[in-house]
Amino acid sequence: MRKILGMAFPLPLALSLSLGLLAAPAHAAPPKKETAPAPAAAPAPTTPEEKLAAMKINIAAAVAAGKKASFFCANCHGEDGNSKYPEVPNLAGQNPAYLLEQIRKFGSGQRKDEFMQGLIKVLSDDERVQISLFYSESKVVPGNADAALVRRGQDTFGKLCVRCHGEDARGNEKIARLAGQQKEYLIRSITRYRDKTGERIDPLMQIATAPLTNDDIKAVAAYLTTKR
């Protein structure tokens, strides 16, 4: 017989108990808690399109920054995107994605204008997005035109232009807003598309404008400039 912890046990059993006590740790380690992996941080926006989507979340801050960054644009396009000159387009109310793409094209030289290219090249990607958002949030100021000419232009627009530019002539992310645009700018642009003399080549626009006379173009421009 052998005593273990003051109690008598037969020798084989006592030996087994002794070995078991020696093998057992003095203090058992608590089980490890399984922790869920931390969620991966969302990647920072890098492309202009991604930055545009991100800045829309805090639109007020982006618009304020865009107004500040667009100070040199105001000389021609006006402080709020309503042009000071009849041959210079209004930018107010344009879709921000459309504006951003036109800025990119000027910056890359895809659209040709020495003055615009020089100004845009100094803008950062963030400033380009902010300017686009600033102008898109500005309200366009419509022009005035002869009522009879407006009615004629509305009819022509409905036949040739509404399919792409929409019934309200506000376009979309890829097509320009024409509502409230400068009349002289519209006349020049439509004429260039018809005559294939502009720096922008667009087969659809060339097809749509091909049947227009000069008077038709003036009527369409009169209609569009009065729209909000």
Side-chain angles (χ1 to χ4, degrees), residues 160 163-164 175 193 201-210:
L160 299 175
R163 180 181 300 178
C164 295
I175 297 176
Y193 278 120
I201 299 174
D202 187 323
L204 290 178
M205 281 295 295
Q206 291 171 352
I207 292 171
T209 57

Side-chain angles (χ1 to χ4, degrees), residues 13-217:
L13 181 59
L15 182 59
S16 297
L17 291 172
S18 297
L19 292 173
L21 289 172
L22 289 173
H27 299 286
K32 293 183 178 180
K33 294 182 179 180
E34 293 186 5
T35 56
T46 55
T47 68
E49 292 76 16
E50 290 173 346
K51 291 182 177 184
L52 177 60
M55 288 186 188
K56 282 183 178 179
I57 297 174
N58 190 2
I59 189 72
V63 167
K67 182 177 182 179
K68 182 178 180 181
S70 68
F71 71 94
F72 61 82
C73 309
N75 292 327
C76 296
H77 294 284
E79 294 181 0
D80 59 354
N82 285 284
S83 173
K84 294 181 178 181
Y85 306 102
E87 69 277 8
V88 176
N90 293 333
L91 302 182
Q94 281 286 1
N95 187 291
Y98 176 82
L99 281 177
L100 186 60
E101 177 63 5
Q102 302 316 303
I103 291 173
R104 183 197 68 77
K105 287 181 177 180
F106 276 119
S108 68
Q110 189 174 348
R111 290 192 63 179
K112 307 295 184 183
D113 186 294
E114 186 175 351
F115 183 72
M116 285 288 293
Q117 288 174 265
L119 292 176
I120 286 172
K121 283 183 178 179
V122 305
L123 294 175
S124 68
D125 284 346
D126 283 355
E127 288 172 330
R128 294 180 182 194
V129 174
Q130 290 160 350
I131 289 172
S132 298
L133 286 169
F134 165 62
Y135 284 131
S136 72
E137 291 293 304
S138 298
K139 302 298 182 184
V140 69
V141 179
N144 299 310
D146 177 75
L149 205 56
V150 168
R151 287 193 295 271
R152 175 179 171 180
Q154 182 176 10
D155 183 62
T156 303
F157 178 87
K159 293 176 181 177
L160 299 175
C161 316
V162 71
R163 180 181 300 178
C164 295
H165 291 278
E167 292 184 4
D168 56 6
R170 293 182 181 179
N172 54 41
E173 293 183 353
K174 295 184 177 181
I175 297 176
R177 174 193 174 118
L178 303 180
Q181 189 53 268
Q182 289 280 355
K183 183 167 55 178
E184 184 61 31
Y185 173 77
L186 286 169
I187 292 172
R188 290 188 179 191
S189 295
I190 297 171
T191 301
R192 286 171 180 169
Y193 278 120
R194 183 196 64 182
D195 297 345
K196 302 178 183 180
T197 57
E199 46 93 14
R200 285 181 285 177
I201 299 174
D202 187 323
L204 290 178
M205 281 295 295
Q206 291 171 352
I207 292 171
T209 57
L212 296 176
T213 67
N214 289 342
D215 286 342
D216 291 333
I217 293 174

